[in-house]
Amino acid sequence: MNAMELPSFWEGFCVEACEEPAEGTLQITLKADPARTPSCGGCGRPSPLIHDWQWRRVRDRDLLDRRLWLRIPLRRVDCLHSGRRRERVSWLAPRARFTRRLQAWVEALVRMLPIQHVSALLGLHWTTIKDIDRRRLEAAHGEFDGHGVRRLVMDEFALHKGHRYATVIMDAQTLRVLWVGEGNSRKAIAPFFALLGEEGCQAIEAVAMDMNTAFDREVRQHCPQAEVVYDLFHVVARFGREVIDRVRVDQANALRQDKPARAVIKRSRWLLLRNRANLKPEQAIGLDELLAANQPLATVYLLKTSLKEIWYAPDVREGWRRWRAWYRLALESGIVAVIRFAKRLKPYLRGILASARYRLHTSVLEGVNNRIKVIKRMAYGFRDSAYFFLKIKAAFPGKA
Ligand SMILES: [Zn+2]
């Protein structure tokens, strides 16, 4: 290939030489276009006085199946306005080891693929890719903006395999993530209220959250007028763990003599916890058979369904009626795990009934939870929480 025939992709430079230093690698040596005056890296003005120059080696976007390296003679100019400066090159950021074209390519890929895949694809280091993505995210999502927010959703999620937690706070109406921070204590979320400011805090009318968190006290301190709402998603998840799982294990153990029946119950976790509307017809039949054969499981399954109905009540009064009916059923069930759960739920009644006034679709929190898991997988091995949090913010930019 005659290098001189390559079109010039590099404004202000021409191709001087083209070689193949290794299999699959192309190195292009550029030279300054003699017809152009270099620009000052400080003020951008044309600066004809050249002080010196230095080679810089940078990666560009792959050319077909070749890794492309550029050798660029970068000049320093004596600018009459800014003094001695490195020249400005439109396609290369100051001090960058890659072109803007490669940067844009990385930014596009990393939205679709896990970082380690992008790394393997482009032959760039994991941290190089992360830094490129992080700079883009900081520019787009780094600023806090709590303008016009009236309802909040707060949730915690596990960092690093559950050893530590982080908190995500969103605008419940636009589903925009406003803030993400490490920790799930009162102290951990205090900075959010500082950012929101006194006026912003006063504008908050409701905050949705899980029971048993430290969030409610912090909310009451900063936003005393706000109603705390306990969301359905977390309560149902808790019912699944503390009641359905418990009863299922007990029932399986009781069937020690009947191996096939025991196996059916042991395998039924998913069927019991899944939303019935999401089951395939044959799965729904399996569920019905299971419930018909096992009275305690049928009872807790019914209680799970009617528990949800409290949240779907059209108004507070009807919610209260459904709660009373549910509570009575729970106490009369005779199942220890159910009775214990119902008694623990009772002190949260106000925040449960408040959901009739401040409705929050349960899929919101489920969606956030699932999305965070995907982001965690995509960026595998986050040691950089700030970057992880930016990814979460970027995933929920909100709808207008
Ligand atoms: Zn200048």
Side-chain angles (χ1 to χ4, degrees), residues 159-178:
L159 277 173
H160 313 294
K161 296 193 192 283
H163 290 307
R164 283 188 296 141
Y165 282 86
T167 301
V168 56
I169 301 180
M170 356 176 48
D171 181 339
Q173 286 165 304
T174 62
L175 307 186
R176 180 166 61 92
V177 167
L178 302 168

Side-chain angles (χ1 to χ4, degrees), residues 39-47 77-83 85:
S39 304
C40 163
C43 65
R45 291 184 175 89
S47 296
V77 295
D78 272 321
C79 174
L80 289 167
H81 299 271
S82 320
R85 293 298 180 101

Side-chain angles (χ1 to χ4, degrees), residues 309-310 313-324 353 356:
E309 292 303 321
I310 302 169
D315 54 54
V316 174
R317 206 183 139 83
E318 172 61 17
W320 189 68
R321 205 191 58 76
R322 291 180 188 184
W323 159 262
R324 276 201 317 179
L353 297 182

Side-chain angles (χ1 to χ4, degrees), residues 94-131:
R95 284 182 294 277
R97 295 283 157 192
F98 39 82
T99 63
R100 291 195 197 275
R101 192 164 28 230
L102 180 57
Q103 178 189 336
W105 183 225
V106 169
E107 287 173 356
L109 286 176
V110 87
R111 289 188 213 197
M112 298 179 280
L113 297 171
I115 289 185
Q116 70 266 37
H117 291 195
V118 180
S119 171
L121 194 64
L122 302 182
L124 287 171
H125 198 274
W126 199 94
T127 51
T128 305
I129 294 165
K130 188 201 75 179
D131 288 343

